[in-house]
Amino acid sequence: FYHMDLYGSKERFDIFPEELSGQGDRPPEDTRRESALSSKKFQPSQEAGYDLEKEVAELAKMYGIDEDREKELELLGGHMEMVKNRWPPARTEKAGPQGSVYNASKSSSSEKDQSQSTKQQGLPGKASQDEDQSKAGAEDEAESPIWSREGLSSGSMSDEWNSQAVSEEEEAADVFCSTCKIPIRAFDKLFGEHKDHEVTQFPSAMESEKEEVHKNMCKLEEKIAQMENVASHLEEIFITVEENFGKQEQNFEVHYNDAVQVLAQKYEEQLEALGEEKRQKLEALYGQLVSCGEHLDICKELTDTTQELCRGNDKASFVKVKSFNWQVPLLEEFLKKEVDLELSTLPDFEERVIDFSEVEHLMNSINTIPAPCAPVINPQAPNAATGTSLRVCWGLFSDDTVEYYQLCYKPVSNEGHSDEQAEHTLKVKETYCTITNLLPNTQYEFWVSALNASGISPPSERAVYVTAPSPPTIKTKTIRSCENAALVCWESGDINPVDSYVVELSRLLEEENGDNITESIVGIPNCEALIHLQPSQTYRICVRALNLGGSSERSEPVLIHTTGTRFCLNEDTAHPLLAILDDGFTIACDELENPECDLPIYDNSFTRCIGILGSLIPFPGKHYWEVEVEEDTEYRIGVAFENTPRHGYLGANNSSWCMRHIITPSRHKFEFLHSGMTPDIRITVPPRRIGILLDYENCRLSFFNADLVQHLYTFNSCFQHYVHPCFALETPAILRIHTGIATPLWTAL
């Protein structure tokens, strides 16, 4: 059980240093025997203590508790001392080797504990320690029989010590149970309750937990982003509610003012009509009252006159006065006149009903939706166009009710007369529309309005969209290639210029069909591209055109073989008497006329030499082709610069190198001309198939008899520019050109 002290200070790793040094008075044999037994018995304890110390250090470093390590070790050491004090002391003499070891360790540990307690409690130092040691020795002698008996039952002591050690080891977990998510000991995995559980090492468990925490953090960030979006949307809705409330309040106020104004107008109209009716009634009654007064006055006057006549006693005078009095006719007339005694008008007024229909209409229109606001048209999105269609999108940044949208568009004229272009209108329910039947690579102007029952909104700002270009057309006849490169040319299918081109190429293998694009070359500004390839392969090449609207469809594919050099013949350089047959690589001259007489002059054609240039070979390295001729054909073949004179002969200037064959009465004559000069070379067997090897790097142009594998001649000249193959006939004949031939190995010999 001394390995428990290893939780204490590092001095405890030294087993009995003081006891061993103080045994000089004992026999050497006993001392060596006991030392050997001690070292043999406690060697595992030392190793266990060392491993435990190392493990504690690693755990402290892993979990960042280096600062608290010393405090924990002191606490563990004190706990171990308390466990050791549970065991009774024993005498060395009577307990044998085990008792000797125990007594030595006990005395050593007691001395250290007493020294520590002396320092802590301030007791007298060495004198009191000597007295305690002497008392401890006496107690050891007195209790030796008891310890001897207990020594006989060492098995029970070992079991109790093992139980104490196991309780301490339970705290030293060294693996992690993935099922229970707790640290455990490896012993529990083998024999404990975690036997069937999945366990991992701490580093793996830590990495797994970190990964799980990282996943949870990612999920939490997604939730946070969603909540932020919801919060942002709620804020927008809040602002929209405030705006709509302001609009409705303003709308209500406008309608209320209109209704009040209509009511006031109705009130004024009815009040004016009522006053007019009152005036008419009063005027009628007043006229009737005046007429009645006049009649009363006449009646009163006639009554008075009649009374005066009746008062006289003379009957003759009464009759005389009555007959001639002027009032008599008036009385008779008045009596004959009918007097209107009925009321001209009634005092009651006509019941007037106010027409509130207009007011009701105004009041009902308060809840009527207003006309929508102007929509906002979006800029053109990437890949939203094809060569004949456009997808246009817009938005309405309000809660206005919209029944449908009215989309208008027209092409943009490059000449500035956009008003003269015809406008097209579409009725759309959604906030997007795909317009078809458009022209490729053409700009169109779009604007949109929103409509509902209340009216139409103002139009949006105008946006310019552009359709994608048409697919380019590759010039198959002008393709030039060699073993490691190819020059591809094409034509644009649009009148308007495009932004750039993309070349897509795929290598064809026996087990593949070549549909997968293996490489794309982007940002090509012109209608040609020099592409680097691998030798002895077959490539399928397509071209796309790009503009702001997107990419065009792929062009018709072409196949390029990187076996040898391939070029074509430039028809614009051909002499008028020279014809190019259908295969494009056979030239013929049917009849020979005087080439200097009355021939049409072309800008780039040969005028004297009945010749033609092949396309430029713009690739460095070696290039090989062959020419097939008849034995009696007179010809010139070789290479020339682009600026070689068209009015001269090939080989007669410093810009062309050629091999010439002419037939003399005596023999076949071969000349290798440059600047009009040739070496004296005799060829006995006229070649029927001539191989030409152009080597830019080594500055050589070689001619071979391909049938005999015979070297004929080599020009050593530094070509300052890339050259054209050149061919000419001096007699009516046919000359065949073979390209795409791999450079033979014998040309390097």
Side-chain angles (χ1 to χ4, degrees):
F1 56 84
Y2 278 99
H3 76 279
M4 296 181 181
D5 294 339
L6 299 178
Y7 285 94
S9 61
K10 293 185 177 180
E11 288 79 1
R12 297 180 181 270
F13 285 96
D14 300 331
I15 306 300
F16 317 121
E18 297 179 0
E19 188 70 21
L20 293 175
S21 62
Q23 290 181 355
D25 54 347
R26 300 182 63 183
E29 294 82 358
D30 296 339
T31 303
R32 286 193 298 269
R33 187 188 308 110
E34 292 178 1
S35 299
L37 290 174
S38 300
S39 61
K40 182 177 181 181
K41 182 177 182 61
F42 291 97
Q43 184 67 25
S45 299
Q46 292 178 2
E47 294 177 357
Y50 177 78
D51 294 339
L52 183 60
E53 181 71 17
K54 183 178 181 180
E55 183 178 0
V56 170
E58 291 179 354
L59 291 174
K61 183 178 181 180
M62 179 183 298
Y63 293 100
I65 56 175
D66 292 335
E67 298 178 356
D68 300 334
R69 181 183 175 190
E70 295 181 1
K71 295 182 180 179
E72 292 180 359
L73 291 177
E74 291 178 0
L75 293 175
L76 289 174
H79 180 65
M80 293 299 103
E81 290 296 326
M82 180 182 67
V83 173
K84 288 192 300 179
N85 290 334
R86 295 174 55 187
W87 302 99
R91 292 183 59 185
T92 305
E93 292 79 9
K94 295 182 180 182
Q98 295 180 354
S100 174
V101 172
Y102 174 78
N103 189 17
S105 175
K106 185 69 178 181
S107 62
S108 176
S109 61
S110 299
E111 290 177 0
K112 294 179 181 179
D113 294 338
Q114 289 175 3
S115 63
Q116 292 177 359
S117 62
T118 303
K119 293 179 181 179
Q120 294 176 358
Q121 299 179 3
L123 297 176
K126 191 171 184 181
S128 60
Q129 291 179 5
D130 295 338
E131 294 177 359
D132 293 340
Q133 291 178 359
S134 62
K135 293 179 180 180
E139 292 176 357
D140 292 341
E141 293 177 358
E143 295 178 358
S144 59
I146 299 175
W147 174 245
S148 299
R149 290 192 301 268
E150 292 180 355
L152 296 175
S153 59
S154 60
S156 61
M157 179 185 69
S158 176
D159 294 338
E160 186 174 359
W161 177 84
N162 289 333
S163 64
Q164 294 293 332
V166 168
S167 63
E168 294 296 332
E169 290 175 356
E170 289 178 354
E171 301 178 0
D174 49 5
V175 294
F176 183 80
C177 179
S178 302
T179 305
C180 300
K181 301 295 183 181
I182 58 173
I184 63 172
R185 299 179 306 155
F187 179 83
D188 294 335
K189 168 61 180 174
L190 299 176
F191 306 102
E193 59 181 357
H194 303 278
K195 181 178 180 180
D196 298 330
H197 294 178
E198 182 180 356
V199 298
T200 57
Q201 297 296 327
F202 279 141
S204 301
M206 184 176 65
E207 293 297 330
S208 177
E209 291 299 324
K210 284 184 177 180
E211 184 177 357
E212 186 69 22
V213 170
H214 179 69
K215 292 180 180 179
N216 293 332
M217 289 296 296
C218 293
K219 294 179 180 179
L220 182 60
E221 290 178 357
E222 293 179 358
K223 291 291 184 182
I224 292 174
Q226 293 177 358
M227 295 304 298
E228 289 179 350
N229 293 334
V230 171
S232 177
H233 182 65
L234 290 176
E235 291 178 359
E236 293 178 358
I237 296 299
F238 182 86
I239 296 173
T240 304
V241 169
E242 292 289 343
E243 293 177 352
N244 292 339
F245 171 76
K247 292 179 180 179
Q248 292 295 332
E249 183 181 15
Q250 184 179 3
N251 186 30
F252 179 79
E253 183 179 358
V254 170
H255 285 76
Y256 174 78
N257 293 334
D258 293 342
V260 170
Q261 185 177 358
V262 170
L263 287 175
Q265 184 178 357
K266 293 290 184 181
Y267 172 77
E268 294 293 337
E269 292 177 356
Q270 293 296 330
L271 186 61
E272 183 179 356
L274 187 61
E276 182 65 22
E277 184 179 1
K278 173 186 175 182
R279 185 184 63 78
Q280 292 177 359
K281 286 181 176 294
L282 292 179
E283 289 180 353
L285 291 174
Y286 179 76
Q288 189 175 10
L289 182 61
V290 170
S291 176
C292 183
E294 292 177 352
H295 285 83
L296 287 176
D297 291 341
I298 295 173
C299 290
K300 184 177 180 180
E301 183 179 357
L302 292 175
T303 300
D304 293 341
T305 303
T306 303
Q307 288 179 356
E308 289 179 359
L309 291 175
C310 290
R311 287 192 190 103
N313 296 325
D314 190 1
K315 295 182 179 178
S317 300
F318 176 76
V319 174
K320 184 179 179 181
V321 172
K322 180 179 178 182
S323 302
F324 297 100
N325 196 322
W326 59 273
Q327 291 184 351
V328 173
L330 182 61
L331 178 60
E332 292 177 356
E333 183 181 358
F334 179 74
L335 292 176
K336 292 179 180 179
K337 186 177 180 181
E338 295 181 0
V339 179
D340 188 9
L341 300 179
E342 296 181 359
L343 294 175
S344 61
T345 183
L346 297 177
D348 298 332
F349 284 85
E350 181 183 358
E351 293 185 1
R352 297 181 178 274
V353 179
I354 301 177
D355 185 11
F356 289 101
S357 61
E358 186 176 357
V359 178
E360 291 178 358
H361 177 72
L362 289 174
M363 296 302 294
N364 293 332
S365 65
I366 294 178
N367 296 325
T368 304
I369 57 176
C373 299
V376 178
I377 194 166
N378 299 337
Q380 183 172 357
N383 301 322
T386 64
T388 58
S389 66
L390 284 170
R391 180 181 174 88
V392 183
C393 301
W394 59 88
L396 189 67
F397 295 96
S398 65
D399 291 338
D400 296 339
T401 302
V402 177
E403 295 182 2
Y404 64 93
Y405 296 93
Q406 181 176 289
L407 178 63
C408 303
Y409 68 96
K410 64 179 180 179
V412 177
S413 176
N414 294 329
E415 299 177 357
H417 302 289
S418 58
D419 297 337
E420 299 178 0
Q421 299 291 338
E423 294 184 3
H424 304 273
T425 303
L426 298 176
K427 185 178 179 180
V428 185
K429 287 287 187 180
E430 295 80 10
T431 57
Y432 58 89
C433 181
T434 300
I435 301 93
T436 57
N437 299 325
L438 302 177
L439 298 176
N441 198 28
T442 304
Q443 292 183 343
Y444 287 86
E445 193 175 33
F446 291 88
W447 64 96
V448 64
S449 300
L451 294 91
N452 61 13
S454 298
I456 185 172
S457 72
S460 66
E461 295 289 336
R462 301 197 176 194
V464 176
Y465 281 52
V466 59
T467 54
S470 299
T473 302
I474 298 178
K475 299 179 181 179
T476 308
K477 295 183 178 181
T478 61
I479 294 177
R480 287 157 279 176
S481 63
C482 65
E483 293 184 351
N484 53 16
L487 182 63
V488 182
C489 301
W490 58 86
E491 292 179 347
S492 175
D494 303 296
I495 300 176
N496 299 326
V498 300
D499 294 341
S500 63
Y501 295 93
V502 176
V503 175
E504 298 177 347
L505 56 100
S506 58
R507 187 172 61 181
L508 300 183
L509 302 177
E510 294 181 358
E511 64 273 10
E512 297 181 359
N513 55 8
D515 292 337
N516 296 327
I517 299 301
T518 57
E519 185 178 356
S520 295
I521 304 174
V522 300
I524 302 174
N526 303 321
C527 292
E528 64 177 23
L530 180 61
I531 308 170
H532 295 281
L533 305 174
Q534 296 180 5
S536 303
Q537 301 292 333
T538 300
Y539 292 87
R540 175 176 293 173
I541 295 181
C542 302
V543 182
R544 294 177 184 264
L546 296 178
N547 64 3
L548 293 176
S551 172
S552 70
E553 298 294 330
R554 293 178 183 173
S555 65
E556 291 295 329
V558 295
L559 296 180
I560 294 179
H561 305 278
T562 57
T563 303
T565 300
R566 299 176 186 270
F567 56 85
C568 57
L569 299 177
N570 292 343
E571 297 181 3
D572 58 343
T573 64
H575 189 276
L577 298 179
L578 199 65
I580 302 176
L581 302 187
D582 294 338
D583 62 356
F585 293 96
T586 301
I587 60 176
C589 179
D590 294 336
E591 57 183 43
L592 185 62
E593 298 179 359
N594 186 0
E596 301 180 0
C597 298
D598 300 331
L599 291 176
I601 299 176
Y602 300 97
D603 294 338
N604 202 29
S605 300
F606 285 97
T607 58
R608 298 184 64 184
C609 179
I610 307 176
I612 188 173
L613 293 181
S615 56
L616 186 71
I617 302 179
F619 316 112
K622 295 181 179 181
H623 306 279
Y624 180 81
W625 65 94
E626 293 180 353
V627 178
E628 184 179 355
V629 296
E630 296 295 334
E631 186 176 351
D632 57 348
T633 301
E634 296 183 356
Y635 55 85
R636 294 172 187 249
I637 57 175
V639 297
F641 287 139
E642 173 68 28
N643 60 353
T644 188
R646 302 296 193 265
H647 59 278
Y649 289 93
L650 295 175
N653 47 61
N654 61 357
S655 60
S656 59
W657 298 258
C658 71
M659 170 184 174
R660 183 189 182 194
H661 172 238
I662 58 175
I663 301 176
T664 64
S666 59
R667 62 185 177 90
H668 291 270
K669 183 178 182 181
F670 292 90
E671 298 176 344
F672 296 91
L673 298 170
H674 177 63
S675 299
M677 300 179 65
T678 179
D680 186 10
I681 296 178
R682 293 180 179 270
I683 300 175
T684 57
V685 179
R688 300 286 300 274
R689 193 178 185 95
I690 305 165
I692 303 174
L693 178 62
L694 172 64
D695 190 349
Y696 280 119
E697 296 179 355
N698 296 319
C699 304
R700 292 187 301 179
L701 177 65
S702 301
F703 296 87
F704 301 90
N705 186 338
D707 294 331
L708 301 179
V709 191
Q710 179 185 11
H711 175 258
L712 300 178
Y713 183 75
T714 296
F715 288 101
N716 292 307
S717 178
C718 182
F719 302 104
Q720 299 178 355
H721 309 284
Y722 291 120
V723 297
H724 295 256
C726 60
F727 312 91
L729 291 172
E730 298 187 355
T731 58
I734 294 177
L735 185 146
R736 294 182 178 88
I737 304 166
H738 300 276
T739 63
I741 303 173
T743 304
L745 298 177
W746 45 263
T747 59
L749 299 178

